[in-house]
Coordinates of all heavy atoms in Angstrom, one line a residue:
M1 N 103.9 92.3 70.0 CA 103.0 92.8 71.0 C 103.8 93.7 71.9 O 104.9 93.3 72.3 CB 102.4 91.6 71.8 CG 101.5 92.0 73.0 SD 100.9 90.7 74.0 CE 100.2 89.6 72.8
S2 N 103.3 94.8 72.3 CA 104.1 95.7 73.2 C 104.0 95.3 74.6 O 103.1 94.4 75.0 CB 103.5 97.2 73.1 OG 102.2 97.2 73.7
V3 N 104.8 95.8 75.5 CA 104.8 95.5 76.9 C 103.5 95.8 77.5 O 102.9 95.1 78.2 CB 106.0 96.2 77.6 CG1 105.8 96.0 79.1 CG2 107.3 95.7 77.2
N4 N 103.0 97.0 77.1 CA 101.7 97.5 77.7 C 100.5 96.5 77.2 O 99.6 96.2 78.0 CB 101.4 98.9 77.3 CG 102.2 99.9 78.1 OD1 102.7 99.5 79.2 ND2 102.3 101.1 77.6
E5 N 100.6 96.1 76.0 CA 99.5 95.2 75.5 C 99.6 93.8 76.3 O 98.6 93.3 76.6 CB 99.7 94.9 74.0 CG 99.3 96.1 73.2 CD 99.6 95.9 71.7 OE1 100.6 95.2 71.4 OE2 99.0 96.5 70.8
S6 N 100.9 93.4 76.5 CA 101.0 92.1 77.2 C 100.6 92.2 78.7 O 99.9 91.4 79.2 CB 102.5 91.7 77.2 OG 102.7 90.5 77.8
L7 N 100.9 93.4 79.3 CA 100.5 93.6 80.7 C 99.0 93.7 80.8 O 98.4 93.2 81.8 CB 101.1 94.8 81.3 CG 102.6 94.7 81.6 CD1 103.2 96.1 82.0 CD2 103.0 93.7 82.6
S8 N 98.3 94.2 79.8 CA 96.9 94.4 79.9 C 96.1 93.1 79.8 O 94.9 93.1 80.1 CB 96.4 95.4 78.7 OG 96.5 94.7 77.5
R9 N 96.8 92.0 79.4 CA 96.1 90.7 79.4 C 96.0 90.1 80.8 O 95.2 89.1 81.0 CB 96.8 89.8 78.4 CG 96.7 90.2 77.0 CD 97.6 89.3 76.1 NE 97.5 89.8 74.7 CZ 96.9 89.1 73.8 NH1 96.4 87.9 74.0 NH2 96.8 89.6 72.6
N10 N 96.8 90.6 81.7 CA 96.8 90.0 83.0 C 95.5 90.4 83.8 O 94.8 91.4 83.4 CB 98.0 90.5 83.8 CG 99.3 90.0 83.2 OD1 99.3 88.8 82.8 ND2 100.3 90.8 83.3
C11 N 95.1 89.7 84.8 CA 94.0 89.9 85.6 C 94.4 90.3 87.0 O 95.2 89.6 87.6 CB 93.1 88.7 85.6 SG 91.5 89.0 86.4
Y12 N 94.0 91.5 87.5 CA 94.4 92.0 88.8 C 93.2 91.9 89.8 O 92.1 92.3 89.4 CB 94.9 93.4 88.6 CG 96.1 93.6 87.7 CD1 95.9 93.8 86.4 CD2 97.4 93.5 88.2 CE1 97.0 93.9 85.5 CE2 98.5 93.6 87.4 CZ 98.3 93.8 86.0 OH 99.4 93.9 85.2
H13 N 93.6 91.5 91.0 CA 92.6 91.4 92.1 C 93.2 92.2 93.2 O 93.9 91.6 94.1 CB 92.3 90.0 92.5 CG 91.9 89.1 91.4 ND1 90.6 89.1 90.9 CD2 92.6 88.2 90.6 CE1 90.5 88.2 89.9 NE2 91.7 87.7 89.7
P14 N 93.1 93.5 93.2 CA 93.9 94.4 94.2 C 93.4 94.1 95.6 O 92.2 93.9 95.9 CB 93.5 95.8 93.8 CG 93.0 95.7 92.4 CD 92.4 94.3 92.3
A15 N 94.4 94.0 96.5 CA 94.1 93.9 97.9 C 93.8 95.3 98.5 O 94.0 96.3 97.9 CB 95.3 93.3 98.7
D16 N 93.3 95.3 99.7 CA 93.0 96.6 100.4 C 94.2 97.2 101.0 O 94.3 98.4 101.2 CB 91.9 96.4 101.5 CG 90.6 96.0 100.9 OD1 90.3 96.3 99.7 OD2 89.8 95.3 101.6
T17 N 95.2 96.4 101.3 CA 96.4 96.9 102.0 C 97.6 96.7 101.1 O 97.7 95.8 100.2 CB 96.6 96.1 103.3 OG1 96.7 94.7 103.0 CG2 95.5 96.4 104.3
N18 N 98.6 97.6 101.3 CA 99.8 97.5 100.5 C 100.7 96.4 100.9 O 101.1 96.3 102.1 CB 100.5 98.9 100.7 CG 101.7 99.1 99.7 OD1 102.1 98.1 99.0 ND2 102.1 100.3 99.5
H19 N 101.2 95.6 100.0 CA 102.0 94.4 100.4 C 103.5 94.8 100.2 O 104.4 94.0 100.5 CB 101.7 93.2 99.6 CG 101.9 93.3 98.1 ND1 101.0 94.0 97.3 CD2 102.9 92.9 97.3 CE1 101.5 94.0 96.0 NE2 102.6 93.3 96.0
I20 N 103.8 96.1 99.8 CA 105.1 96.5 99.7 C 105.2 97.8 100.5 O 104.5 98.8 100.2 CB 105.5 96.8 98.2 CG1 105.4 95.5 97.4 CG2 106.9 97.4 98.1 CD1 105.6 95.7 95.9
V21 N 106.1 97.9 101.5 CA 106.2 99.0 102.4 C 107.6 99.6 102.3 O 108.6 98.8 102.5 CB 105.9 98.7 103.8 CG1 106.0 99.9 104.7 CG2 104.5 98.1 103.9
L22 N 107.7 100.9 102.0 CA 109.1 101.5 101.8 C 109.6 101.9 103.2 O 108.8 102.3 104.1 CB 109.0 102.7 100.9 CG 108.4 102.4 99.5 CD1 108.3 103.7 98.7 CD2 109.4 101.5 98.8
Q23 N 110.9 102.0 103.3 CA 111.5 102.6 104.5 C 111.1 104.1 104.6 O 110.8 104.7 103.6 CB 113.0 102.5 104.5 CG 113.5 101.1 104.5 CD 113.4 100.4 105.9 OE1 112.9 101.1 106.9 NE2 113.8 99.2 106.1
A24 N 111.1 104.6 105.8 CA 110.6 106.0 106.0 C 111.5 107.0 105.3 O 111.0 108.0 104.7 CB 110.5 106.3 107.5
S25 N 112.7 106.8 105.2 CA 113.7 107.7 104.6 C 114.5 107.1 103.5 O 115.1 106.0 103.8 CB 114.6 108.3 105.7 OG 115.5 109.2 105.1
L26 N 114.4 107.6 102.3 CA 115.2 107.0 101.2 C 116.1 108.1 100.6 O 115.8 109.3 100.6 CB 114.2 106.6 100.1 CG 113.2 105.5 100.5 CD1 112.3 105.2 99.3 CD2 113.9 104.2 100.9
S27 N 117.3 107.6 100.2 CA 118.2 108.5 99.5 C 117.8 108.7 98.1 O 116.9 108.0 97.6 CB 119.6 107.9 99.6 OG 119.7 106.8 98.7
E28 N 118.4 109.7 97.5 CA 118.1 110.0 96.0 C 118.5 108.7 95.2 O 117.7 108.4 94.3 CB 118.9 111.2 95.6 CG 118.7 111.5 94.1 CD 117.2 111.9 93.7 OE1 116.4 112.2 94.6 OE2 116.9 111.8 92.5
Q29 N 119.6 108.1 95.5 CA 120.0 106.9 94.8 C 119.0 105.8 94.9 O 118.6 105.1 93.9 CB 121.3 106.4 95.3 CG 121.9 105.3 94.6 CD 123.3 104.8 95.1 OE1 123.7 105.2 96.2 NE2 124.0 104.0 94.3
Q30 N 118.4 105.6 96.1 CA 117.4 104.6 96.3 C 116.1 104.9 95.5 O 115.5 104.0 95.0 CB 117.1 104.4 97.8 CG 118.2 103.8 98.6 CD 117.9 103.9 100.1 OE1 117.6 104.9 100.6 NE2 118.1 102.7 100.8
R31 N 115.7 106.2 95.5 CA 114.5 106.6 94.8 C 114.7 106.3 93.3 O 113.8 105.8 92.6 CB 114.3 108.1 95.0 CG 113.8 108.4 96.4 CD 113.7 109.9 96.6 NE 113.4 110.2 98.0 CZ 113.8 111.3 98.6 NH1 114.4 112.2 97.9 NH2 113.5 111.4 99.9
V32 N 115.8 106.7 92.8 CA 116.1 106.5 91.3 C 116.1 105.0 91.0 O 115.5 104.6 90.0 CB 117.4 107.2 90.9 CG1 117.8 106.8 89.5 CG2 117.3 108.7 91.0
L33 N 116.7 104.2 91.9 CA 116.8 102.8 91.6 C 115.4 102.2 91.5 O 115.0 101.4 90.6 CB 117.6 102.1 92.7 CG 117.7 100.6 92.6 CD1 118.5 100.2 91.4 CD2 118.4 100.0 93.8
L34 N 114.5 102.5 92.5 CA 113.1 102.0 92.5 C 112.4 102.4 91.2 O 111.7 101.6 90.6 CB 112.3 102.5 93.7 CG 112.7 101.9 95.0 CD1 112.0 102.7 96.2 CD2 112.4 100.4 95.1
E35 N 112.6 103.6 90.8 CA 111.9 104.1 89.5 C 112.4 103.3 88.3 O 111.6 103.1 87.4 CB 112.1 105.6 89.3 CG 111.4 106.4 90.3 CD 111.7 107.9 90.3 OE1 112.9 108.2 89.9 OE2 110.9 108.7 90.6
K36 N 113.6 102.9 88.3 CA 114.2 102.2 87.2 C 113.9 100.7 87.2 O 113.8 100.1 86.1 CB 115.7 102.5 87.1 CG 116.0 103.9 86.7 CD 117.5 104.0 86.5 CE 117.9 105.4 86.0 NZ 119.3 105.5 85.8
I37 N 113.9 100.1 88.3 CA 113.9 98.6 88.4 C 112.6 98.0 88.2 O 112.5 96.8 87.7 CB 114.5 98.2 89.8 CG1 114.9 96.7 89.7 CG2 113.5 98.4 90.9 CD1 115.9 96.4 88.7
C38 N 111.5 98.6 88.5 CA 110.2 98.0 88.4 C 109.7 97.8 86.9 O 109.5 98.8 86.2 CB 109.1 98.7 89.2 SG 107.5 98.0 89.1
P39 N 109.5 96.6 86.4 CA 109.1 96.4 85.0 C 107.7 97.0 84.8 O 107.4 97.3 83.6 CB 109.2 94.9 84.8 CG 109.0 94.3 86.2 CD 109.7 95.3 87.1
A40 N 106.9 97.2 85.8 CA 105.6 97.7 85.6 C 105.5 99.2 85.8 O 104.5 99.8 85.7 CB 104.6 97.0 86.5
G41 N 106.7 99.8 86.2 CA 106.7 101.3 86.5 C 105.8 101.7 87.6 O 105.1 102.7 87.5
L42 N 105.8 101.0 88.7 CA 104.9 101.2 89.8 C 105.4 102.2 90.8 O 104.6 102.7 91.7 CB 104.5 99.9 90.5 CG 103.8 98.9 89.6 CD1 103.5 97.6 90.4 CD2 102.6 99.4 89.0
F43 N 106.6 102.6 90.8 CA 107.2 103.6 91.7 C 107.2 105.0 91.1 O 107.7 105.1 90.0 CB 108.6 103.2 92.2 CG 108.6 101.9 92.9 CD1 108.9 100.7 92.3 CD2 108.4 101.9 94.3 CE1 108.9 99.5 93.0 CE2 108.4 100.7 95.0 CZ 108.7 99.5 94.3
S44 N 106.6 105.9 91.8 CA 106.6 107.3 91.2 C 106.7 108.3 92.4 O 106.5 107.9 93.6 CB 105.4 107.6 90.4 OG 104.2 107.5 91.3
R45 N 107.1 109.5 92.1 CA 107.3 110.5 93.1 C 106.1 111.4 93.1 O 105.5 111.8 92.0 CB 108.5 111.3 92.9 CG 109.8 110.5 93.0 CD 111.0 111.4 93.0 NE 112.1 110.7 92.4 CZ 113.4 111.0 92.6 NH1 113.6 112.1 93.3 NH2 114.3 110.3 92.1
D46 N 105.7 111.9 94.3 CA 104.6 112.9 94.4 C 105.3 114.3 94.3 O 106.5 114.4 94.1 CB 103.8 112.7 95.6 CG 104.5 112.9 96.9 OD1 105.7 113.5 96.9 OD2 104.1 112.4 97.9
A47 N 104.5 115.3 94.4 CA 104.9 116.7 94.3 C 106.0 117.0 95.3 O 106.9 117.9 95.1 CB 103.8 117.7 94.4
A48 N 106.0 116.4 96.5 CA 106.9 116.6 97.6 C 108.2 115.8 97.4 O 109.1 115.9 98.2 CB 106.3 116.4 98.9
G49 N 108.2 114.9 96.4 CA 109.4 114.1 96.1 C 109.4 112.8 96.8 O 110.3 112.0 96.7
R50 N 108.3 112.5 97.5 CA 108.2 111.2 98.2 C 107.9 110.1 97.2 O 107.1 110.3 96.2 CB 107.1 111.2 99.2 CG 107.4 112.0 100.5 CD 106.3 112.0 101.5 NE 105.0 112.5 100.9 CZ 104.6 113.7 101.2 NH1 105.2 114.5 102.0 NH2 103.5 114.1 100.6
V51 N 108.4 108.9 97.4 CA 108.2 107.8 96.5 C 107.0 107.0 96.9 O 106.8 106.7 98.1 CB 109.4 106.8 96.4 CG1 109.1 105.7 95.5 CG2 110.6 107.6 96.0
N52 N 106.1 106.8 96.0 CA 104.9 106.0 96.2 C 104.9 104.7 95.4 O 105.5 104.8 94.3 CB 103.6 106.8 95.9 CG 103.5 108.0 96.7 OD1 103.4 107.9 97.9 ND2 103.4 109.2 96.1
V53 N 104.4 103.7 95.9 CA 104.3 102.4 95.1 C 102.8 102.2 94.8 O 102.0 102.1 95.8 CB 105.0 101.2 95.8 CG1 104.4 101.0 97.2 CG2 104.8 100.0 94.9
H54 N 102.5 102.0 93.6 CA 101.1 101.7 93.2 C 100.9 100.2 93.1 O 100.9 99.6 92.1 CB 100.8 102.4 91.8 CG 101.2 103.8 91.8 ND1 100.3 104.8 92.4 CD2 102.3 104.5 91.5 CE1 100.9 106.0 92.3 NE2 102.1 105.8 91.7
F55 N 100.8 99.6 94.3 CA 100.9 98.2 94.5 C 99.8 97.4 93.8 O 99.9 96.2 93.5 CB 100.8 97.8 96.0 CG 99.5 98.2 96.7 CD1 98.6 97.2 96.8 CD2 99.3 99.4 97.2 CE1 97.4 97.5 97.4 CE2 98.1 99.7 97.8 CZ 97.1 98.8 97.9
Q56 N 98.7 98.1 93.4 CA 97.6 97.4 92.8 C 98.0 96.7 91.4 O 97.4 95.8 91.0 CB 96.4 98.3 92.5 CG 95.8 98.9 93.8 CD 96.5 100.2 94.3 OE1 97.6 100.5 93.8 NE2 95.8 100.9 95.1
G57 N 99.0 97.3 90.8 CA 99.5 96.7 89.5 C 100.7 95.8 89.6 O 101.3 95.5 88.6
C58 N 101.0 95.4 90.8 CA 102.2 94.6 91.0 C 102.2 93.3 90.3 O 101.2 92.6 90.3 CB 102.4 94.4 92.5 SG 104.0 93.6 92.9
L59 N 103.3 93.0 89.6 CA 103.5 91.7 88.9 C 104.0 90.6 89.8 O 104.1 89.5 89.4 CB 104.5 91.9 87.8 CG 104.1 93.0 86.8 CD1 105.3 93.2 85.8 CD2 102.8 92.7 86.1
E60 N 104.3 90.9 91.1 CA 104.9 90.0 92.1 C 106.1 89.3 91.6 O 106.4 88.2 91.9 CB 103.8 89.0 92.5 CG 102.5 89.6 93.0 CD 101.4 88.6 93.2 OE1 101.7 87.4 93.4 OE2 100.2 89.0 93.2
C61 N 106.9 90.1 90.8 CA 108.2 89.5 90.3 C 109.3 89.5 91.3 O 110.3 88.8 91.2 CB 108.6 90.3 89.1 SG 109.0 92.0 89.4
G62 N 109.2 90.4 92.3 CA 110.3 90.5 93.3 C 111.5 91.3 93.0 O 112.5 91.3 93.7
C63 N 111.5 91.9 91.8 CA 112.7 92.6 91.4 C 113.1 93.7 92.4 O 114.3 93.9 92.7 CB 112.5 93.3 90.0 SG 112.5 92.1 88.7
C64 N 112.1 94.5 92.9 CA 112.4 95.6 93.8 C 113.0 95.0 95.1 O 113.9 95.6 95.7 CB 111.2 96.4 94.1 SG 109.8 95.5 94.7
R65 N 112.5 93.9 95.5 CA 113.0 93.2 96.8 C 114.4 92.8 96.6 O 115.3 92.9 97.4 CB 112.1 92.1 97.1 CG 112.5 91.4 98.4 CD 111.6 90.2 98.6 NE 111.8 89.6 99.9 CZ 111.4 88.4 100.3 NH1 110.6 87.7 99.5 NH2 111.6 87.9 101.5
L66 N 114.7 92.1 95.4 CA 116.0 91.6 95.2 C 117.1 92.7 95.0 O 118.2 92.6 95.5 CB 116.0 90.6 94.0 CG 115.3 89.3 94.2 CD1 115.1 88.6 92.8 CD2 116.0 88.5 95.2
V67 N 116.7 93.7 94.3 CA 117.7 94.7 93.9 C 117.8 95.8 95.0 O 118.9 96.2 95.4 CB 117.4 95.4 92.5 CG1 118.3 96.5 92.2 CG2 117.4 94.3 91.4
A68 N 116.7 96.3 95.5 CA 116.8 97.3 96.5 C 117.1 96.8 97.9 O 117.8 97.5 98.7 CB 115.5 98.1 96.5
G69 N 116.5 95.7 98.3 CA 116.8 95.1 99.5 C 116.1 95.7 100.7 O 115.3 96.7 100.6
D70 N 116.5 95.2 101.9 CA 115.9 95.7 103.2 C 116.2 97.1 103.6 O 115.4 97.7 104.3 CB 116.3 94.7 104.3 CG 115.8 93.3 104.1 OD1 114.9 93.1 103.3 OD2 116.3 92.4 104.8
T71 N 117.3 97.7 103.0 CA 117.6 99.1 103.4 C 116.6 100.0 102.7 O 116.5 101.2 103.1 CB 119.0 99.4 103.0 OG1 119.2 99.2 101.6 CG2 120.0 98.6 103.9
T72 N 115.9 99.6 101.6 CA 115.0 100.4 100.9 C 113.6 100.0 101.2 O 112.7 100.8 101.4 CB 115.3 100.3 99.4 OG1 116.6 100.8 99.2 CG2 114.3 101.2 98.6
L73 N 113.3 98.7 101.3 CA 112.0 98.2 101.5 C 111.8 97.7 102.9 O 112.6 96.8 103.4 CB 111.6 97.0 100.5 CG 111.7 97.3 99.1 CD1 111.4 96.1 98.2 CD2 110.8 98.5 98.7
K74 N 110.9 98.2 103.6 CA 110.7 97.8 105.0 C 110.0 96.4 105.0 O 110.2 95.6 105.9 CB 109.8 98.9 105.7 CG 109.6 98.6 107.2 CD 108.8 99.8 107.7 CE 108.5 99.6 109.2 NZ 107.7 100.8 109.7
A75 N 109.1 96.2 104.1 CA 108.4 94.9 104.0 C 108.1 94.6 102.5 O 107.7 95.5 101.8 CB 107.1 95.0 104.8
W76 N 108.2 93.4 102.2 CA 107.7 92.9 100.9 C 107.1 91.5 101.2 O 107.8 90.6 101.7 CB 108.9 92.8 99.9 CG 108.4 92.5 98.5 CD1 108.4 93.4 97.5 CD2 107.9 91.3 97.9 NE1 107.9 92.8 96.3 CE2 107.6 91.5 96.5 CE3 107.7 90.0 98.4 CZ2 107.1 90.5 95.7 CZ3 107.2 89.0 97.6 CH2 106.9 89.3 96.2
R77 N 105.9 91.3 100.8 CA 105.2 90.0 101.0 C 104.3 89.9 99.8 O 103.9 90.9 99.1 CB 104.5 89.9 102.3 CG 103.4 91.0 102.5 CD 102.8 90.9 103.9 NE 103.5 91.6 104.9 CZ 103.5 92.9 105.1 NH1 102.7 93.7 104.4 NH2 104.2 93.5 106.0
Y78 N 103.8 88.7 99.6 CA 102.8 88.5 98.6 C 101.5 89.0 99.1 O 101.2 89.0 100.3 CB 102.7 87.0 98.2 CG 103.8 86.5 97.4 CD1 104.8 85.7 98.0 CD2 103.9 86.8 96.0 CE1 105.9 85.2 97.2 CE2 105.0 86.3 95.3 CZ 105.9 85.5 95.8 OH 107.0 85.1 95.1
P79 N 100.6 89.4 98.1 CA 99.3 89.9 98.6 C 98.5 88.7 99.3 O 98.9 87.5 99.1 CB 98.6 90.2 97.2 CG 99.7 90.5 96.3 CD 100.8 89.6 96.7
P80 N 97.5 89.0 100.1 CA 96.8 88.0 100.7 C 96.1 87.0 99.7 O 95.9 87.3 98.6 CB 95.7 88.7 101.5 CG 95.8 90.1 101.1 CD 97.0 90.4 100.3
T81 N 95.8 85.8 100.2 CA 95.2 84.8 99.4 C 93.9 85.4 98.7 O 93.1 86.0 99.3 CB 94.8 83.6 100.2 OG1 95.9 83.1 100.9 CG2 94.1 82.5 99.4
G82 N 93.8 85.2 97.4 CA 92.7 85.6 96.6 C 93.0 87.0 96.0 O 92.2 87.4 95.1
A83 N 94.0 87.7 96.4 CA 94.4 89.0 95.8 C 95.6 88.9 95.0 O 96.4 87.9 95.1 CB 94.5 90.0 96.9
G84 N 95.9 89.9 94.2 CA 97.1 89.9 93.4 C 96.9 89.7 91.9 O 95.8 89.9 91.5
I85 N 97.9 89.2 91.3 CA 97.8 89.1 89.8 C 97.6 87.7 89.4 O 98.0 86.7 90.0 CB 99.1 89.6 89.2 CG1 99.0 89.7 87.6 CG2 100.3 88.8 89.6 CD1 100.1 90.5 87.0
T86 N 96.8 87.5 88.3 CA 96.7 86.3 87.6 C 97.3 86.5 86.2 O 96.8 87.3 85.4 CB 95.2 85.8 87.4 OG1 94.6 85.7 88.7 CG2 95.1 84.5 86.7
L87 N 98.4 85.8 85.9 CA 99.2 86.0 84.7 C 98.5 85.3 83.6 O 98.1 84.1 83.7 CB 100.6 85.6 84.8 CG 101.4 86.3 85.8 CD1 102.8 85.6 86.1 CD2 101.7 87.8 85.4
R88 N 98.4 86.0 82.4 CA 97.8 85.4 81.2 C 98.8 85.5 80.1 O 99.2 86.6 79.8 CB 96.5 86.0 80.9 CG 95.4 85.7 81.9 CD 94.1 86.3 81.5 NE 93.1 85.9 82.5 CZ 91.9 86.4 82.6 NH1 91.5 87.3 81.7 NH2 91.1 86.0 83.5
F89 N 99.1 84.5 79.5 CA 100.1 84.5 78.4 C 99.4 84.3 77.1 O 98.4 83.6 77.0 CB 101.1 83.3 78.6 CG 101.8 83.4 80.0 CD1 101.4 82.7 81.0 CD2 102.9 84.3 80.1 CE1 102.1 82.7 82.2 CE2 103.5 84.4 81.4 CZ 103.1 83.6 82.4
G90 N 100.0 84.9 76.0 CA 99.6 84.7 74.7 C 98.4 85.5 74.3 O 97.9 86.3 75.0
Ligands
LIG101 S1 107.5 93.1 92.8 FE1 108.0 93.6 90.7 S2 106.2 94.6 89.8 FE2 105.9 94.5 92.0 S3 106.6 96.6 92.7 FE3 108.4 95.2 92.9 S4 109.4 95.4 90.9 FE4 107.4 96.2 90.6

């Protein structure tokens, strides 16, 4: 089973608000790190080079929080109760 097939089995309940907030100014190294670290590939750049996080698909794994830290992420919290991911295995 491919990673995409495995991820597609999960059930997502997106919240209205972003539970991951980036610092206002990021270095090129921080941007590249975010793009590489997320297993779901949720960080991408827009035409102006700004990094966006597509939080609706978050796996709540915490990799970005652990690796990038507070100097890159202004806030990381779990989505509100009733929102977020329901993992399905097999
Ligand atoms: S918590 Fe995991 S899935 Fe969610 S944005 Fe961070 S690295 Fe990606």
Side-chain angles (χ1 to χ4, degrees):
M1 178 185 307
S2 72
V3 171
N4 284 341
E5 287 172 334
S6 182
L7 289 175
S8 70
R9 292 175 182 248
N10 295 322
C11 186
Y12 298 89
H13 308 280
D16 293 333
T17 56
N18 193 345
H19 62 284
I20 300 171
V21 181
L22 302 175
Q23 295 287 358
S25 177
L26 298 177
S27 69
E28 178 63 15
Q29 185 179 15
Q30 289 170 310
R31 292 177 187 150
V32 170
L33 181 63
L34 287 173
E35 290 172 329
K36 288 185 175 179
I37 195 62
C38 178
L42 300 181
F43 295 95
S44 65
R45 296 188 208 202
D46 61 19
R50 290 182 298 257
V51 177
N52 297 304
V53 55
H54 307 280
F55 66 93
Q56 298 89 342
C58 184
L59 303 174
E60 300 171 27
C61 66
C63 289
C64 56
R65 181 184 188 190
L66 289 171
V67 174
D70 294 343
T71 57
T72 300
L73 301 180
K74 186 175 180 181
W76 191 106
R77 61 184 81 85
Y78 285 105
T81 302
I85 189 170
T86 301
L87 296 170
R88 293 185 176 167
F89 302 99

